[in-house]
Amino acid sequence: MGASVSREPSIHQLRLYLTLCEELHFGRAAARLFITQPALSQQIRELEKRLGAPMVERQGRTITLTEAGQALLPEARAAVAAVDRLRRVADAQLRQVSGRLVVGTMGAEASMAHTRSVLGLLQDRHPGTTVQLVNLGFGDHMAALAQQEADVVFLRPPVTDDIELHHLATEPRVACLCADHPLASQNRLTLAQLSDIPVVDMPVQVPRLWWDFWAVDPRPDGSRVRYGPVVTDMESLLHTVAAGEAMCFLPTAAREYFPRPGVRYIDVVDLSPSTSALAWLRSRRSEATIQAIRHAAREATTRDFGVIM
């Protein structure tokens, strides 16, 4: 008897299909996937053959989804998401066994004295632990923990309930304004003086409780913040501020780490401070490598750090 051909679609084929569903165009989808259009078309035909149903109706390089394609789309998404979760959990377990720790950092946290102290103590106490540093943007600093793409993250709270923290240091926050704004000539400001200026906004995947704190929304008088353009990282944030499109509030360390032409940092007398923290998933707190860096953080703060003024 000849070898039977599997009728199960591969995860690779499902990923190609999901990209094609987003683009609805073979050429654009192929370019995004870094493959040729004929190769993509062949893979989609093979997927249809394995599933026993036409998934797309072809009109040149553009497509529409068939009834079967529409019905199977959420199942394809769920299958790919499940495999992605499986891979992340497996990678996390492998890191734990091998003593490798993926440490996420946000903004300038990797350069902060408390971060260097924690990582230095970790290496001193556990010289066999391998640390991989990963720089994270606004949209993924908490998601990296939830998806187990990072084991711990040095970040600025607040955080969601599934995350635990060890606070490392506290410092004031400052207003970040376009240097050409009339208020930029002041040495000190109040929140009331800033109430009419829009604040940069965050991508939808950023937990709102986090950005509400950083945007000071609502303000002490109960008024809501007016938002400006969405930014995804520190450089886009600073560019937006320098262009006069919006303002934001940042840790006072931004004066040292992010000086930029067209941007001015100003003290705000009635603005609450911010904290730096080491964060990890509550469900992973007992893992050996995470316990090791938690203990290093506790020792570092006991030995070296208090309030940054």
Side-chain angles (χ1 to χ4, degrees):
M1 294 178 63
S4 62
V5 177
S6 171
R7 288 182 58 82
E8 294 182 356
S10 70
I11 290 297
H12 174 64
Q13 288 170 338
L14 293 178
R15 290 186 194 279
L16 299 182
Y17 175 64
L18 292 179
T19 301
L20 182 60
C21 290
E22 291 174 3
E23 296 294 341
L24 296 177
H25 188 281
F26 273 103
R28 290 195 300 268
R32 182 171 152 191
L33 292 162
F34 299 101
I35 62 175
T36 65
Q37 186 270 328
L40 175 59
S41 183
Q42 181 181 355
Q43 287 291 325
I44 297 303
R45 286 195 177 94
E46 179 62 23
L47 174 64
E48 292 174 322
K49 180 180 176 182
R50 292 190 179 194
L51 291 173
M55 308 288 285
V56 299
E57 292 180 353
R58 295 162 175 80
Q59 301 167 340
R61 291 191 175 187
T62 62
I63 67 158
T64 57
L65 298 185
T66 64
E67 183 177 347
Q70 289 282 7
L72 291 170
L73 180 56
E75 303 303 326
R77 287 185 179 131
V80 170
V83 170
D84 287 343
R85 285 195 301 271
L86 176 66
R87 181 172 296 154
R88 287 193 294 266
V89 172
D91 287 346
Q93 292 300 310
L94 179 60
R95 293 198 299 268
Q96 185 177 356
V97 171
S98 64
R100 183 167 66 92
L101 191 71
V102 177
V103 177
T105 65
M106 182 184 171
E109 292 300 306
S111 301
M112 298 292 179
H114 47 262
T115 302
R116 298 198 308 271
S117 180
V118 172
L119 294 179
L121 281 168
L122 176 67
Q123 293 296 304
D124 288 345
R125 304 295 185 263
H126 303 275
T129 300
T130 302
V131 174
Q132 177 186 350
L133 285 176
V134 178
N135 187 44
L136 302 171
F138 299 134
D140 54 11
H141 69 291
M142 278 185 259
L145 289 174
Q147 296 171 2
Q148 299 193 29
E149 293 170 352
D151 300 306
V152 296
V153 176
F154 289 94
L155 49 65
R156 301 276 174 150
V159 296
T160 50
D161 291 340
D162 57 334
I163 296 173
E164 291 184 334
L165 299 172
H166 179 83
H167 292 277
L168 296 167
T170 301
E171 65 177 313
R173 288 186 286 169
V174 294
C176 179
L177 282 174
C178 172
D180 293 332
H181 194 279
L183 291 175
S185 62
Q186 303 294 314
N187 292 322
R188 293 176 181 273
L189 293 169
T190 65
L191 287 170
Q193 289 176 283
L194 299 164
S195 61
D196 292 332
I197 308 175
V199 176
V200 297
D201 206 358
M202 289 288 123
V204 293
Q205 64 266 33
V206 174
R208 206 65 218 178
L209 83 144
W210 184 73
W211 195 237
D212 282 348
F213 170 81
W214 283 97
V216 196
D217 188 11
R219 296 294 163 87
D221 63 1
S223 62
R224 304 300 304 201
V225 167
R226 181 165 58 94
Y227 288 99
V230 171
V231 298
T232 57
D233 54 33
M234 188 60 71
E235 290 305 322
S236 62
L237 179 151
L238 293 171
H239 176 81
T240 300
V241 171
E245 299 178 54
M247 63 154 293
C248 65
F249 299 105
L250 293 174
T252 192
R255 283 186 168 123
E256 176 183 356
Y257 290 103
F258 299 109
R260 294 292 187 278
V263 170
R264 177 112 194 277
Y265 298 104
I266 305 168
D267 294 335
V268 182
V269 297
D270 52 349
L271 183 59
S272 62
S274 72
T275 60
S276 295
L278 177 70
W280 59 89
L281 274 185
R282 188 182 305 275
S283 60
R284 299 184 62 197
R285 71 187 323 269
S286 298
E287 293 180 14
T289 51
I290 293 177
Q291 278 191 323
I293 195 168
R294 286 173 51 215
H295 293 159
R298 192 158 52 242
E299 182 178 351
T301 48
T302 301
R303 187 185 70 177
D304 295 329
F305 296 103
V307 177
I308 301 175
M309 297 301 292

